[in-house]
Amino acid sequence: MDGTITTGTGATGTGTTTEMMASGAQALLRALKAQGVDVIFGYPGGAVLPIYDAIFQQNAIRHILVRHEQAAVHAAEGYARSTGRVGVVLVTSGPGATNAVTGLVDALMDSIPLVCLTGQVPTHLIGNDAFQEADTTGITRQATKHNYLVKRSQDLTRVVHEAFHVAKTGRPGPVLIDLPKDILINPAPYSEASTAQHRSYRPRTEPDPARIAEAIALLKRSERPIVYAGGGVINAGPEAAKLLIEFVRLTGFPCTTTLMGLGAYPASDPQFVGMLGMHGTYEANMVMHGADVMLNIGARFDDRVTGRLNAFSPGSKKIHADIDPSSINKSVAVDVAIIGDAAATLRALIAAWKNDAGKQDREAIAKWWQQIDFWRAKDSLRFTQNRERGSIIKPQYAIEQLYKATRGRETFITTEVGQHQMWAAQHFKFDKPNHWMTSGGLGTMGYGLPAAMGVQVAHPDALVIDIAGEASILMNIQEMGTLAQYRLPVKIFILNNKYMGMVRQWQELLHGNRYSESYSEALPDFVKLAESFHAVGLRAEKVEDLDRVIAEMLAVDRPVIADICVDEKENVFPMIPSGAAHNEMLLGPEHKNGGNPGVTDAGLALV
Amino acid sequence: MSDTNMRSATISVLVENESGVLARVIGLFSGRGYNIDSLTVAPVERDGSKSRITVVTSGTEMVIEQIKAQLGRLVPVYKVADLSKEGPHLARELALIKVVGTGNTRQEALRLADAFRARVIDASTESFIFELTGATDKLDAFLDLMRPLGLAEVSRTGVAAIARGKVAIE
Ligand SMILES: Cc1cc2nc3c(=O)[nH]c(=O)nc-3n(C[C@H](O)[C@H](O)[C@H](O)COP(=O)(O)OP(=O)(O)OC[C@H]3O[C@@H](n4cnc5c(N)ncnc54)[C@H](O)[C@@H]3O)c2cc1C
Ligand SMILES: Cc1ncc(C[n+]2csc(CCOP(=O)(O)OP(=O)(O)O)c2C)c(N)n1
Ligand SMILES: [Mg+2]
């Protein structure tokens, strides 16, 4: 080491004493360690070889070698969502970086904290169309919460510390650092993370007491209230979920969650009315439609949730608590806006509720619950499984049996995207936060397997299951190799309906049963595929096979693909068709529908 | 969204003067489909560490509030001020205007320039270049008048704006 030097003020403020490191790569690793990083998901290449060399010479940080850079990002997402920590990705320049883009956008949409390190050609070659050069910061500017190109060695470790800060505070998201090779090779000073406030980035976490008071005034007087909780409660950490339970019990209100919020409130609790939205329960959507006061905490009025905007919860006063001011009044105008962290907001709401002398109209709330129980009695998730030998397996039944078989074990569920994802959301019950990982905002097929990998790395002894579709799983199937290499006993539970079922469902509903290109032709033999990747392959063809296959799958301490052959024609219900209102839900064939599904021409144009 | 009334907004954005910051702001507008009617940017601190972006945009009240919130969450943004909303403000731009002509039209152009207090900063026997500073509508009006008189070329800076009174956006 060349002794110490002192740098001037960086963007994070005060000058700090720094120590010269032999290479930028070593300074980088030291900064990662200081940030508490214990694992990196990555894939090497020319531009990042100095980092790989530094990784080779230490033991504190483990590197998981994926088989495709997109999977590295999803794995880091799974790691992050299941631990509440920042996931770290390392990829090379050019194709390494472009392959990572889908994962970055996925993390951006779902507010997942990541730091993605990308290699770059040396500074003097930038802009020359050099070998494996891509304008990574340009390409990922709209794909990240923030990104950096490090052009000077003295900025390197400050930028790394700042990137972690930006990734995990405020509304979390992916942050990318582009690292030219000369910056990685040349000596670089190491500086500790600054404790000074960031100069321009200062997200607000504590709610405004005046807004809390306004909210309590509305909530106390409500006769038909609803708490609508989203992924923001999960982002805010397990404490926020505990406070949510406390608040909901204290008030006696019904609670619904979004797809991203599953587990923020216990699914087994009687005050939980299920997920809301396009494939939410009848009662959750009817409650939303009929409410007089809505408290949205950490949810973003996604179009999958609101349905037709001018018919969304038309009679309610709306309170929206979110850490990101841009989430508020984006699509739905609200009456009370609370900017702050979900945990801090819930804490303030609980305190204010208790301090408020006003009395609740208990009678009105009891009447509201009677109404809710009436809606609940529809049992909108109902399905019929024929138990006779030789009967075809209903996908919902497969999930239900899987849920029963895993109760009592520490279980994490990831999904791919499609019908199976919705059935998992509907029929697997989550009582704790951080145990459900799904791609909600971007809806990325191929998310589930790598995400499960990341979860398993973080929780080596837990049961980690990717509930998959036969089409989605093929999008990142190469990660079976990673499972084998690191002995990650992830279970892949494929609901094999031989269709891109979600696509087929829309074609059935909206395009006159013309199943254009949605049949899963020429599928691999998943049992053999598992075996060739050193995993266990199982198959359930008929209802009598199901429980045995699930039991076998859960018994092996190795990666497993369970190919569950399910009813090809099953659709996901209930469903609010695009462009319809909550009270125009389609129920399943088990129920009598009130006529026309209500798909309008405008609805046809929606996704 | 119930409100459909469009309004124009002059928004000042104080940003860290780092590479890519302008691209972030412009990308935000194009990516989310917001209008940019005018955009100017220049460093405003002696050490060059901060720049001020003035953007003139239009939309419904809800969209303009959304634009401000989206700008506010960009990491290098210090401050977003909606000058059109927060009180009286001044907005000016500068135009360099080349008018080519001889004889009467040339005389007429000069007379009008005088009335608008445009300065002649270059002249040849067949052309003038006027420099005109003012509010956007004043510049527009002047250009309309010059069009039949041989308007050949225009370069405009776009709007710079500031709130009236002693309060500064820091
Ligand atoms: C096939 C398919 C079908 C779908 N169907 C449905 C459906 O039926 N129902 C459904 O709900 N979703 C559905 N989705 C998911 C949907 O697209 C959205 O991803 C989801 O509804 C968004 O969830 P959210 O509102 O909880 O927001 P998230 O995307 O989780 O966003 C979190 C919000 O909380 C805020 N936040 C972040 N951190 C904090 C904090 N610490 N404190 C406070 N606030 C914070 C953020 O600013 C943001 O506004 C579906 C997706 C797919 C792929
Ligand atoms: C990368 C990507 N491409 C396309 C889509 C559009 N899409 C959504 S669901 C789906 C079909 C998924 O099929 P499968 O994995 O078999 O699940 P199923 O719906 O049958 O349960 C498709 C193509 C997507 N979400 N992601
Ligand atoms: Mg399928």
Side-chain angles (χ1 to χ4, degrees):
Chain A
M1 306 293 131
D2 305 2
T4 56
I5 56 161
T6 302
T7 59
T9 48
T12 33
T14 55
T16 42
T17 308
T18 58
E19 185 185 329
M20 211 58 198
M21 306 286 289
S23 73
Q26 288 189 6
L28 168 71
L29 279 194
R30 184 162 163 196
L32 295 178
K33 275 176 221 162
Q35 287 295 334
V37 174
D38 59 1
V39 57
I40 295 177
F41 300 91
Y43 206 91
V48 286
L49 284 181
I51 306 179
Y52 276 87
D53 204 37
I55 287 175
F56 190 81
Q57 297 172 43
Q58 55 86 54
N59 287 315
I61 299 180
R62 186 172 177 212
H63 180 274
I64 303 288
L65 176 67
V66 297
R67 301 303 191 259
H68 187 292
E69 289 87 350
Q70 182 194 350
V73 188
H74 294 322
E77 286 186 90
Y79 175 93
R81 190 71 166 180
S82 67
T83 60
R85 303 171 65 183
V86 178
V88 183
V89 178
L90 169 59
V91 299
T92 193
S93 67
T98 55
N99 269 351
V101 170
T102 301
L104 293 173
V105 179
D106 191 271
L108 184 71
M109 294 287 274
D110 286 346
S111 302
I112 311 290
L114 299 184
V115 168
C116 178
L117 307 164
T118 53
Q120 183 53 279
V121 301
T123 46
H124 68 273
L125 285 180
I126 290 178
N128 274 294
D129 300 324
F131 177 65
Q132 293 197 329
E133 179 182 2
D135 174 8
T136 301
T137 47
I139 291 168
T140 62
R141 202 166 279 129
Q142 313 300 328
T144 53
K145 177 174 176 183
H146 194 54
N147 62 17
Y148 303 86
L149 169 61
V150 178
K151 284 191 192 149
R152 303 183 310 177
S153 298
Q154 65 264 40
D155 295 335
L156 174 62
T157 53
R158 173 184 63 74
V159 164
V160 175
H161 293 309
E162 188 178 308
F164 276 83
H165 176 68
V166 171
K168 68 188 174 195
T169 54
R171 178 181 187 162
V175 177
L176 180 141
I177 311 174
D178 206 20
L179 298 162
K181 193 168 184 180
D182 52 332
I183 300 288
L184 295 172
I185 292 171
N186 295 341
Y190 175 79
S191 52
E192 296 295 338
S194 163
T195 49
Q197 260 205 328
H198 191 277
R199 282 169 62 178
S200 54
Y201 169 79
R202 295 176 183 179
R204 167 166 198 167
T205 54
E206 282 302 317
D208 179 348
R211 299 287 95 75
I212 296 287
E214 283 173 36
I216 290 296
L218 285 175
L219 292 164
K220 265 275 164 85
R221 282 200 300 266
S222 66
E223 299 180 355
R224 300 185 310 281
I226 177 72
V227 176
Y228 153 37
V233 177
I234 314 265
N235 285 135
E239 176 69 8
K242 286 204 190 98
L243 291 163
L244 178 64
I245 299 173
E246 189 182 340
F247 180 77
V248 171
R249 300 245 168 95
L250 182 68
T251 56
F253 291 172
C255 180
T256 178
T257 74
T258 63
L259 182 77
M260 295 308 291
L262 290 176
Y265 193 84
S268 55
D269 187 278
Q271 279 170 261
F272 186 60
V273 293
M275 179 174 88
L276 84 167
M278 180 175 274
H279 292 298
T281 65
Y282 180 70
E283 54 270 33
N285 288 321
M286 291 305 281
V287 165
M288 211 55 173
H289 194 79
D292 68 345
V293 177
M294 168 208 301
L295 170 64
N296 169 340
I297 178 119
R300 56 184 175 84
F301 290 115
D302 185 81
D303 52 73
R304 264 323 79 147
V305 163
T306 60
R308 193 167 77 239
L309 272 175
N310 61 10
F312 172 66
S313 195
S316 64
K317 290 273 183 208
K318 298 174 183 69
I319 303 160
H320 189 182
D322 201 292
I323 204 162
D324 178 358
S326 80
S327 282
I328 291 177
N329 288 326
K330 183 163 65 181
S331 53
V332 172
V334 299
D335 302 280
V336 180
I338 305 173
I339 311 288
D341 173 66
T345 302
L346 284 161
R347 209 174 286 120
L349 285 171
I350 291 168
W353 179 279
K354 288 181 177 163
N355 280 334
D356 182 85
K359 286 264 169 293
Q360 256 184 305
D361 184 346
R362 286 280 173 186
E363 217 170 287
I365 305 276
K367 242 178 83 190
W368 185 224
W369 273 112
Q370 272 174 19
Q371 173 68 63
I372 294 169
D373 287 337
F374 171 78
W375 286 325
R376 241 183 203 162
K378 277 232 179 199
D379 194 8
S380 61
L381 301 180
R382 190 171 71 217
F383 62 91
T384 310
Q385 172 67 59
N386 188 339
R387 308 288 175 91
E388 268 171 52
R389 278 189 73 81
S391 300
I392 192 85
I393 302 168
K394 290 283 181 187
Q396 303 94 318
Y397 181 69
I399 303 283
E400 208 173 83
Q401 293 305 97
L402 178 68
Y403 172 60
K404 285 185 190 150
T406 55
R407 291 192 78 168
R409 280 183 75 171
E410 177 81 346
T411 307
F412 294 84
I413 300 291
T414 72
T415 73
E416 306 292 335
V417 171
Q419 292 182 316
H420 61 276
Q421 178 188 25
M422 294 298 110
W423 286 315
Q426 294 175 336
H427 296 277
F428 207 101
K429 308 287 176 210
F430 296 93
D431 283 344
K432 285 186 287 185
N434 305 98
H435 286 64
W436 160 250
M437 277 35 70
T438 197
S439 170
L442 197 63
T444 311
M445 291 170 69
Y447 165 88
L449 169 53
M453 219 158 76
V455 175
Q456 190 83 75
V457 167
H459 308 272
D461 299 325
L463 175 60
V464 184
I465 306 171
D466 172 26
I467 296 180
E470 82 295 335
S472 295
I473 194 63
L474 291 178
M475 286 218 179
N476 269 319
I477 194 70
Q478 76 288 343
E479 297 308 318
M480 292 296 296
T482 313
L483 296 186
Q485 179 177 349
Y486 297 95
R487 300 178 191 282
L488 300 170
V490 167
K491 315 294 186 243
I492 300 165
F493 192 73
I494 302 178
L495 297 183
N496 187 344
N497 54 6
K498 300 207 187 106
Y499 275 97
M500 299 173 192
M502 188 56 92
V503 174
R504 202 218 62 230
Q505 176 165 349
W506 282 52
Q507 289 171 333
E508 185 176 317
L509 220 66
L510 303 164
H511 297 278
N513 299 315
R514 291 178 295 279
Y515 298 143
S516 177
E517 306 292 328
S518 55
Y519 184 66
S520 289
E521 197 77 59
L523 283 172
D525 178 333
F526 285 109
V527 172
K528 287 189 187 147
L529 184 144
E531 283 160 5
S532 75
F533 272 111
H534 321 290
V536 176
L538 303 169
R539 180 172 294 125
E541 278 168 322
K542 299 288 176 233
V543 69
E544 63 270 21
D545 305 333
L546 183 65
D547 288 345
R548 178 184 47 79
V549 165
I550 290 175
E552 274 183 46
M553 173 179 95
L554 299 183
V556 228
D557 190 27
R558 285 172 56 193
V560 178
I561 295 183
D563 184 18
I564 312 296
C565 307
V566 298
D567 191 343
E568 294 174 21
K569 294 283 178 216
E570 195 66 26
N571 285 333
V572 183
F573 290 110
M575 174 172 186
I576 303 176
S578 290
H582 279 183
N583 60 347
E584 299 167 351
M585 272 200 120
L586 283 178
L587 295 177
E590 313 277 315
H591 303 78
K592 284 191 206 73
N593 273 306
N596 189 287
V599 180
T600 58
D601 286 351
L604 207 57
L606 300 172
V607 287
Chain B
M1 269 176 270
S2 48
D3 76 321
T4 46
N5 289 339
M6 300 277 280
R7 75 162 169 108
S8 167
T10 303
I11 299 172
S12 271
V13 195
L14 205 58
V15 298
E16 178 83 20
N17 190 15
E18 60 183 32
S19 77
V21 66
L22 188 59
R24 271 179 226 288
V25 170
I26 293 173
L28 191 161
F29 275 78
S30 62
R32 293 184 181 267
Y34 306 141
N35 303 317
I36 298 183
D37 297 327
S38 161
L39 186 138
T40 63
V41 58
V44 289
E45 291 226 329
R46 250 173 72 192
D47 63 359
S49 68
K50 288 183 191 170
S51 285
R52 181 167 174 142
I53 298 175
T54 306
V55 50
V56 181
T57 182
S58 52
T60 62
E61 193 57 42
M62 208 161 161
V63 166
I64 288 169
E65 288 306 314
Q66 183 60 206
I67 291 173
K68 282 149 57 181
Q70 292 290 352
L71 286 167
R73 75 188 192 131
L74 296 178
V75 171
V77 167
Y78 286 92
K79 174 94 187 171
V80 179
D82 184 350
L83 298 176
S84 352
K85 201 173 179 184
E86 288 169 13
H89 71 282
L90 297 168
R92 294 287 181 271
E93 59 175 313
L94 181 145
L96 303 179
I97 302 149
K98 186 176 286 181
V99 178
V100 179
T102 51
N104 270 350
T105 56
R106 181 173 161 85
Q107 286 311 312
E108 183 62 13
L110 201 57
R111 258 197 305 279
L112 285 167
D114 199 40
F116 273 80
R117 295 183 203 199
R119 290 204 304 142
V120 176
I121 55 171
D122 179 71
S124 72
T125 53
E126 284 168 43
S127 71
F128 287 119
I129 295 176
F130 298 118
E131 174 195 314
L132 181 59
T133 306
T136 298
D137 51 357
K138 175 179 165 185
L139 268 56
D140 289 345
F142 184 69
L143 289 170
D144 283 345
L145 292 172
M146 287 301 115
R147 219 152 263 133
L149 302 177
L151 178 66
E153 195 179 340
V154 190
S155 175
R156 292 170 75 150
T157 57
V159 175
I162 201 158
R164 280 184 187 272
K166 67 173 184 186
V167 182
I169 74 165
E170 66 337 323

